[in-house]
Amino acid sequence: MIPAAFEYARASSVEEASKLLKTFGEDAKVLAGGHSLIPLMRLRLAQPKALVDINGIKDLDYIKEDGSKLRFGALTRHVTIENSAVVKQKLPILAEVASEIGDNQVRNMGTIGGVAAHADAAGDYPTIALMLDAEIVTNQRTIAAKDFFKDLFTTPLAADEIVTELVFPVANGPHKYIKFRRRLFDWAIVGAAAQKMNGGWRIGLTNVGTTPVRATAVEEALHKGAKPEEAAQHASDGLNPSGDLRASPEYKKHLARVLTKRAIEQAG
Amino acid sequence: MAVTTMIGAKIHRREDPRLITGRGRYVDDMKLNGMLHVGFVRSPYGHARIRSIDVTDAAKAPGVVAVYTARDFEGLLQGEMPVTISFVPDKKQPIGWAFIAKDEARYHGEIVAVVLAREKSQAADATALVSVDFEPLPAVVDLDKAVESKSPTAHTGIPDNVAWDMTVGAGDVDAAFADADVVVKQRILQQRLFPIAMEGRAVLVEYVPFDNRLTMWTSSQVPHWVRLCLTLAMGIPESNIRIVAPDVGGGFGSKIHIYPEEYLAAAASKLSGRPIKWTEGRSENLQATHHGRAQIFDIEIAAKKDGTLLGYKVRQYVDTGAYVSVFSSFQCSAYAIAEGAYDLKNVKFQTVGILTNTTPTDAYRGAGRPEATHAIERGIDLVAREIGMDPVEIRRKNFSKFPHSNYLGFAYDTGDYDKALTKALATVGYDAFRQQQKELRAKGRYLGIGLSTWIEVCGFGPSAVTAANEPLALVESSSVRLHPTGSATVYVGTSPHGQGHATTFAQIAADTLGLPYDAIDVRTSDTGDTPFGYGTYGSRSLHVGGSAVLMSCRKVVDKARKLAAHMLEASEEDVAFDQGRFYVKGSPDKAKTMGEVAFAAHRDNLPEGMEHGLEAVTYYDPPDLSWPFGTHICVVEVDPETGAVDLQRYVAIDDCGNVINPMIVEGQVQGGVAQGIAQALFEEVIHDAETGQLRTGTLLDYSIPGTGEIPVIECDRTITPSTTNPLGAKGIGEAGTIAASPAVINAICDALSPLGIKHVDMPASPDRLWKQIQEARAHANGSKEAHQ
Ligand SMILES: Cc1cc2nc3c(=O)[nH]c(=O)nc-3n(C[C@H](O)[C@H](O)[C@H](O)COP(=O)(O)OP(=O)(O)OC[C@H]3O[C@@H](n4cnc5c(N)ncnc54)[C@H](O)[C@@H]3O)c2cc1C
């Protein structure tokens, strides 16, 4: 299908983008990689009046080491993260997650800032961000991941607010992300992440609710010395996923447990 | 006879360099001066009364030139869309099918209004502005409910939803079941599928009033049918209509129907006086391009303890969708091969066509034959399981031996089912696998192997068979013309959409005419220069159309031989023809090439009474059908914790008789198997049970497998030439799809047999398998507890 008509402007700085958003008003949208926004527009599920293209803002595409942190410019593409030597060394789980997003086209275009701002329940980075206590930096403030992913496709971002950076802690201990899907280029039906960090486990889940989930009950059980298999039984505690064409709620909860167990066992 | 050089050669398709470098020419690549774009307003409901349509806002929208509704086409399009009774003499009600819905819409996607605009985007915007006052009506979706007497009907005012109800049979089925040691029963679902051609449909059409001439480029499998139907609907002489199917990016049976969009675009061109263009979007394609399968099989098999099959009862429900398309009822051709590769003479087959408020279904790749094969191949495995026999052994025991006629009296051309099976077993290493399976089962791993010893009927068709049920006899045509300097143009009536006719037919012509392959041009798909043909579907183009090419070439050689004899001053009987050279037997050095003869045919000094030129036409009516066969074997491992299926190996041993181009044959098998795997594991169209609305409306919701999901397909063949056409060839276009789904499902059932799971429906998605595994375990625990 063909999107409804819209205005288009290309910004060369964050300030300019923010100004353009203000000028266009409520129905304007930032365009980053376009791999979530454009499909919605083509189906006319989204009909923004204007697009502010931020792809020309050169200084939003970077990966910087900063002591015990890694800073990702919002426009950093999945392919860059997947292939980055620094990320592979300091935060290997994120490089692995990036390598399993969509297909080459998606990875060449999609951005880490776009995934965060889009806040799809099946997005993979948000799970890692939540689990590792990452921060989302905008042109106005810094927001903790746990305060950012509040509901389906819903974030605290204001209409003229632009995500500029994601900040992750360095974490290079044993880790594993298991993305369960039917096809290589599919979104996760359910995903489970395990990361050993500062002597404890961090466990995150994808697509088992309206937001990413941190499985604290599993983390606690592991902390108390439970075996992975026992601890993983808690992965579905408190979950209330909705069913869809690919999976019933029961199946999703079951997958949360199985994948969590496997992620912990396979973490290397 | 010429020594074969090109026939059998594994050469690359001559179409491909152009297509894969972006130089293909599809309908959407074309433009005409002054053309308008058409947008179709479609029903968002499965079933709704149309109270009124307000086009005011749409008509005022930027770029809009006209908005039409049903009334505007009255008089321009006469009668209704054709529906056929093919293969169903017992049709119960021929349901009327208007070109555009007027008072009632009967499926999600049915057209209710037509918008013409200068730009494609303007047409898209304006269709959203047409305001239709729909009153939703109860939608018929579920087949079991649709046949209940209290069911609402898919069309207001029809007595019930049964489109046809026909039973065929032979032998003494009741006695067979009475004598049986075991009877297995199973309901087998054939989910609804999208055919998903890479290129959607597209039409560009221009009506020129002064000449009363209509030219249409359309992405179709059947340009000559399109012309025939437009003639009937528009009253323009067939001679004044030219239909061209340029490069067509796949069809799989979804482009053998003459669609409302084709009629309406043609009529809109006449109404507006402008060329009209339409390119289907993917969402539109999923709603409005015909679907496939959507059937339910209830089978019963009677057998002896030793594995001998005695009797077979089948009831096939076919969801026709809202209307019975021309080829829809071909889906009940399942009855023609109901008993598969097995010698089973007591068979009763009932087929019921059922109208629902969904997109019409059509003859999707295999059409009836994959469904029949799935049923009998599952059925024989169920019997084997019941009596504790190996699936290989029970097949061998029941294989038909040749010469063979089936339960309906069809005499099969040739076959050697055991040969293909034996080769497939050796390729996969069947005995070693069984050993490995046993060892891994002890470790809690669930591996399985599945067989599909498939057969097919194709080569439609002999006029004696087809003309009885079709409006026209499905013969096929060719015309071969040699040019003075020794190249040739081959015109054929079939119309490829990815099958490689330009290559295969050129190979046949090159060998038969004794001309270089590069000197043969094959022309297809333009009714302006090709003889009348029935198009490409049902694995028929080589058997029927390829034979027509061969026959015309032979006629040309016959005439050329006469002329060569004259040139060599010899008598015709003394002239040999070999590798493109005519010479007097015994003196091959003094020869005339086919090129020289072609030149001579355009000069003076012809033999007494011979006309100029070297040219021949053939309408080939094959004496009988052909019956390809083979064995496919699939190996899977099922993850019992998640229900995920890992396709580990897939072996395909097929027999399509003589092979013209092994690479093209293999390509057809690979693609066909991929589509069969897609049905077995991934794909399913879902409509809302209450409203009939399409729930899998985008490719996000409908899982087409990609390269990551399809394993390497290990292809090989046996060769058992057909006797029903001069090429000795049998169709291969649908074989992969026919064979694959039962191989995969049988493998899964084998893998899960330790859990007591006997049958799995398609698609065997992880959530479905997990649920079944859970239930099987609960059941096992329940019975264990009951025993304690
Ligand atoms: C076939 C396919 C498969 C995919 N599979 C996966 C998958 O498995 N896992 C996964 O996580 N993703 C997947 N994606 C999504 C992909 O990662 C997208 O690229 C991503 O979700 C959005 O990033 P983007 O840069 O493309 O953003 P866009 O599509 O450009 O924008 C998305 C939304 O975020 C807003 N936005 C973007 N950037 C900013 C910013 N800097 N500040 C404020 N707002 C902003 C936009 O306004 C828009 O609302 C898939 C996409 C496709 C097409």
Side-chain angles (χ1 to χ4, degrees):
Chain A
M1 262 178 84
I2 302 172
F6 55 88
E7 299 281 331
Y8 172 86
R10 199 169 164 91
S12 50
S13 70
V14 173
E15 296 71 46
E16 190 190 353
S18 177
K19 233 181 255 156
L20 282 164
L21 285 171
K22 256 204 203 103
T23 321
F24 284 126
E26 278 284 308
D27 288 332
K29 280 254 167 220
V30 171
L31 175 69
H35 270 56
S36 288
L37 185 53
I38 305 276
L40 291 174
M41 288 171 62
R42 293 186 62 216
L43 293 167
R44 298 200 172 195
L45 293 173
Q47 302 201 11
K49 289 241 166 56
L51 291 187
V52 175
D53 186 344
I54 60 168
N55 285 280
I57 309 179
K58 290 283 168 287
D59 53 8
L60 279 184
D61 182 1
Y62 58 81
I63 299 171
K64 282 186 203 149
E65 249 190 288
D66 180 5
S68 61
K69 292 185 166 152
L70 275 187
R71 298 181 172 274
F72 296 83
L75 269 182
T76 311
R77 317 270 168 192
H78 307 326
V79 67
T80 313
I81 296 172
E82 172 185 359
N83 293 320
S84 157
V86 181
V87 182
K88 280 185 192 167
Q89 205 193 347
K90 305 280 171 164
L91 189 56
I93 194 167
L94 205 71
E96 286 160 27
V97 163
S99 74
E100 295 199 331
I101 295 176
D103 51 21
N104 281 333
Q105 286 93 322
V106 175
R107 290 196 291 276
N108 283 336
M109 291 301 292
T111 66
I112 190 167
V115 174
H118 193 55
D120 191 312
D124 298 301
Y125 296 140
T127 303
I128 311 300
L130 178 73
M131 166 178 101
L132 298 182
D133 290 319
E135 289 169 338
I136 290 91
V137 182
T138 76
N139 57 336
Q140 299 172 9
R141 54 190 162 152
T142 297
I143 308 167
K146 68 175 171 23
D147 300 323
F148 190 83
F149 301 107
K150 280 301 198 193
D151 205 347
L152 192 62
F153 301 120
T154 308
T155 66
L157 291 175
D160 61 345
E161 194 168 5
I162 293 160
V163 174
T164 54
E165 186 177 66
L166 271 80
V167 187
F168 283 81
V170 165
N172 49 9
H175 63 273
K176 181 74 188 174
Y177 184 59
I178 301 182
K179 183 170 174 177
F180 188 82
R181 55 204 159 149
R182 285 171 74 183
R183 299 175 297 177
L184 265 184
F185 48 84
D186 264 338
W187 297 77
I189 294 175
V190 171
Q195 174 78 54
K196 195 113 193 230
M197 203 177 148
N198 307 329
W201 282 100
R202 303 283 182 103
I203 308 292
L205 295 166
T206 305
N207 207 28
V208 288
T210 53
T211 64
V213 169
R214 182 156 169 196
T216 43
V218 180
E219 292 177 4
E220 278 160 26
L222 287 168
H223 186 70
K224 289 186 191 137
K227 293 207 191 74
E229 186 158 356
E230 297 157 9
Q233 287 309 310
H234 295 288
S236 56
D237 288 3
L239 294 186
N240 189 16
S242 58
D244 55 39
L245 292 174
R246 296 182 301 171
S248 64
E250 298 70 41
Y251 183 55
K252 282 190 181 174
K253 286 201 272 190
H254 168 76
L255 282 180
R257 295 188 293 266
V258 172
L259 301 180
T260 299
K261 176 192 74 178
R262 291 183 181 180
I264 301 164
E265 284 172 354
Q266 292 170 24
Chain B
M1 193 55 221
V3 171
T4 295
T5 51
M6 293 312 290
I7 291 184
K10 191 170 181 169
I11 54 171
H12 287 274
R13 303 193 331 157
R14 55 164 58 165
E15 297 88 334
D16 287 342
R18 192 168 51 78
L19 294 176
I20 62 184
T21 54
R23 288 179 177 81
R25 197 170 155 79
Y26 299 88
V27 174
D28 193 52
D29 296 321
M30 300 176 185
K31 281 193 184 99
L32 290 177
N33 271 341
M35 76 184 183
L36 299 177
H37 294 268
V38 58
F40 295 105
V41 180
R42 299 175 184 278
S43 169
Y45 298 101
H47 197 188
R49 195 182 331 281
I50 301 167
R51 286 215 200 91
S52 63
I53 302 179
D54 181 355
V55 305
T56 328
D57 291 347
K60 284 191 297 212
V64 170
V65 173
V67 184
Y68 303 131
T69 59
R71 208 155 292 116
D72 297 296
F73 295 100
E74 281 166 11
L76 254 186
L77 293 171
Q78 292 139 28
E80 294 196 315
M81 303 244 299
V83 292
T84 192
I85 54 167
S86 67
F87 295 90
V88 197
D90 304 4
K91 188 174 179 83
K92 213 178 149 203
Q93 37 183 348
I95 291 294
W97 190 351
F99 300 102
I100 176 167
K102 192 173 171 195
D103 305 315
E104 185 173 284
R106 302 184 181 107
Y107 64 93
H108 182 180
E110 185 163 12
I111 298 170
V112 298
V114 175
V115 176
L116 303 186
R118 287 194 185 86
E119 300 290 334
K120 194 174 169 181
S121 55
Q122 292 169 332
D125 288 343
T127 52
L129 297 176
V130 174
S131 151
V132 186
D133 185 5
F134 286 110
E135 175 191 340
L137 297 170
V140 179
V141 175
D142 180 275
L143 294 186
D144 284 320
K145 288 189 189 141
V147 292
E148 284 171 5
S149 58
K150 293 187 299 280
S151 170
T153 50
H155 296 232
T156 300
I158 59 173
D160 58 45
N161 293 311
V162 178
W164 71 71
D165 186 346
M166 178 180 77
T167 301
V168 297
D172 192 339
V173 179
D174 292 338
F177 276 80
D179 291 348
D181 298 324
V182 287
V183 170
V184 298
K185 292 184 191 186
Q186 185 63 50
R187 168 163 276 215
I188 298 173
L189 304 182
Q190 286 282 342
Q191 78 272 34
R192 184 180 275 258
L193 303 171
F194 293 134
I196 306 278
M198 188 92 83
E199 182 204 15
R201 290 179 292 133
V203 176
L204 173 63
V205 55
E206 178 173 35
Y207 175 77
V208 180
F210 309 107
D211 303 341
N212 191 29
R213 234 175 238 291
L214 186 105
T215 308
M216 177 186 283
W217 293 263
T218 178
S219 183
S220 173
Q221 300 174 228
V222 289
H224 290 276
W225 280 110
V226 175
R227 186 176 62 173
L228 188 69
C229 290
L230 287 180
T231 286
L232 297 174
M234 299 186 76
I236 303 169
E238 211 167 343
S239 51
N240 287 16
I241 300 181
R242 178 177 163 222
I243 308 293
V244 186
D247 284 327
V248 175
F252 311 113
S254 72
K255 295 176 185 170
I256 52 178
H257 181 67
I258 322 306
Y259 279 91
E261 290 87 349
E262 286 166 320
Y263 292 101
L264 294 172
S269 178
K270 197 168 176 183
L271 270 175
S272 65
R274 304 276 291 269
I276 301 291
K277 183 168 178 179
W278 172 66
T279 305
E280 186 179 55
R282 186 57 73 186
S283 305
E284 205 173 19
N285 172 259
L286 301 186
Q287 288 176 20
T289 292
H290 289 182
H291 300 167
R293 311 281 190 269
Q295 299 171 29
I296 299 175
F297 279 69
D298 286 296
I299 65 165
E300 285 181 59
I301 304 189
K304 286 205 272 195
K305 277 204 293 283
D306 69 355
T308 309
L309 302 184
L310 297 175
Y312 189 32
K313 287 190 227 172
V314 186
R315 188 185 65 193
Q316 176 196 30
Y317 278 169
V318 178
D319 180 348
T320 66
Y323 304 96
V324 184
S325 88
V326 172
F327 281 92
S328 163
S329 47
F330 190 81
Q331 299 179 91
C332 52
S333 70
Y335 72 72
I337 59 160
E339 82 287 37
Y342 316 111
D343 196 8
L344 235 179
K345 289 293 190 297
N346 304 308
V347 180
K348 185 172 143 197
F349 192 109
Q350 181 189 13
T351 171
V352 185
I354 301 169
L355 294 156
T356 62
N357 292 113
T358 58
T359 304
T361 58
D362 221 311
Y364 173 54
R365 201 171 193 173
R369 292 155 294 165
E371 299 89 322
T373 304
H374 197 85
I376 189 69
E377 289 302 297
R378 283 270 52 240
I380 197 165
D381 265 29
L382 287 167
V383 174
R385 175 83 77 88
E386 195 68 28
I387 61 174
M389 197 168 186
D390 187 274
V392 173
E393 213 181 311
I394 192 167
R395 283 173 168 78
R396 286 215 160 106
K397 192 173 183 74
N398 289 285
F399 272 156
S400 307
K401 307 282 184 301
F402 281 78
H404 173 71
S405 292
N406 81 357
Y407 80 105
L408 291 172
F410 286 114
Y412 292 7
D413 52 351
T414 53
D416 187 345
Y417 303 155
D418 202 74
K419 193 164 70 176
L421 172 63
T422 302
K423 188 162 185 174
L425 293 172
T427 307
V428 81
Y430 188 75
D431 296 333
F433 172 83
R434 284 291 184 204
Q435 186 57 37
Q436 183 201 13
Q437 179 185 43
K438 208 161 141 198
E439 288 162 18
L440 290 174
R441 261 185 197 162
K443 294 182 189 158
R445 287 177 58 186
Y446 292 82
L447 275 74
I449 193 162
L451 275 76
S452 170
T453 46
W454 66 276
I455 71 159
E456 179 189 357
V457 53
C458 60
F460 299 95
S463 58
V465 178
T466 52
N469 298 315
E470 294 289 341
L472 296 165
L474 300 180
V475 303
E476 220 29 273
S477 62
S478 76
S479 124
V480 172
R481 184 182 304 159
L482 262 67
H483 307 294
T485 52
S487 63
T489 306
V490 176
Y491 301 91
V492 299
T494 61
S495 189
H497 43 285
Q499 292 81 358
H501 291 184
T503 304
T504 303
F505 290 0
Q507 288 178 266
I508 295 170
D511 272 11
T512 315
L513 296 171
L515 289 175
Y517 170 74
D518 289 334
I520 313 284
D521 186 31
V522 176
R523 311 264 315 181
T524 67
S525 315
D526 183 342
T527 64
D529 62 15
T530 60
F532 192 92
Y534 294 80
T536 290
Y537 44 85
S539 306
R540 64 187 296 275
S541 284
L542 183 62
H543 178 130
V544 195
S547 295
V549 170
L550 180 76
M551 303 297 266
S552 287
C553 291
R554 283 185 179 169
K555 288 177 189 170
V556 166
V557 171
D558 285 346
K559 180 173 178 189
R561 189 192 303 273
K562 284 193 180 70
L563 181 51
H566 179 70
M567 293 162 77
L568 293 162
E569 295 175 355
S571 77
E572 199 188 327
E573 304 79 69
D574 293 338
V575 172
F577 179 56
D578 181 25
Q579 306 263 23
R581 298 161 78 251
F582 293 96
Y583 54 86
V584 179
K585 285 171 195 158
S587 34
D589 297 343
K590 217 174 124 242
K592 297 287 175 195
T593 64
M594 180 59 98
E596 287 169 322
V597 177
F599 196 71
H602 291 82
R603 299 191 63 215
D604 61 352
N605 190 23
L606 297 183
E608 184 75 32
M610 183 180 278
E611 284 181 26
H612 279 83
L614 269 185
E615 189 169 340
V617 178
T618 303
Y619 283 80
Y620 179 69
D621 186 2
D624 213 334
L625 301 161
S626 75
W627 305 77
F629 62 92
T631 295
H632 287 207
I633 302 184
C634 180
V635 174
V636 302
E637 177 166 6
V638 181
D639 178 341
E641 271 189 325
T642 63
V645 174
D646 178 21
L647 274 182
Q648 297 189 333
R649 282 187 74 188
Y650 196 100
V651 171
I653 307 297
D654 297 300
D655 194 320
C656 60
N658 289 336
V659 171
I660 313 297
N661 185 326
M663 203 184 279
I664 288 183
V665 165
E666 195 173 307
Q668 289 291 321
V669 172
Q670 301 259 0
V673 168
Q675 267 174 321
I677 291 173
Q679 175 172 16
L681 295 179
F682 295 96
E683 300 181 358
E684 181 169 30
V685 178
I686 299 172
H687 285 96
D688 185 278
E690 304 299 319
T691 65
Q693 282 164 312
L694 183 62
R695 289 187 62 201
T696 47
T698 73
L699 293 186
L700 209 58
D701 309 312
Y702 184 85
S703 297
I704 308 170
T707 45
E709 288 68 51
I710 304 294
V712 170
I713 296 158
E714 302 166 53
C715 289
D716 205 345
R717 67 180 67 86
T718 60
I719 295 178
T720 312
S722 175
T723 49
T724 54
N725 66 80
L727 292 165
K730 305 181 179 191
I732 194 69
E734 295 157 302
T737 322
I738 290 169
S741 70
V744 176
I745 297 295
N746 283 344
I748 293 171
C749 293
D750 183 48
L752 297 178
S753 60
L755 297 171
I757 290 173
K758 291 182 181 160
H759 179 71
V760 166
D761 269 315
M762 302 185 287
S765 55
D767 54 341
R768 174 175 274 165
L769 282 188
W770 173 73
K771 194 158 169 249
Q772 234 177 309
I773 291 167
Q774 292 293 102
E775 284 164 4
R777 286 194 162 142
H779 183 74
N781 286 340
S783 36
K784 232 182 272 163
E785 277 157 26
H787 281 293
Q788 281 165 1

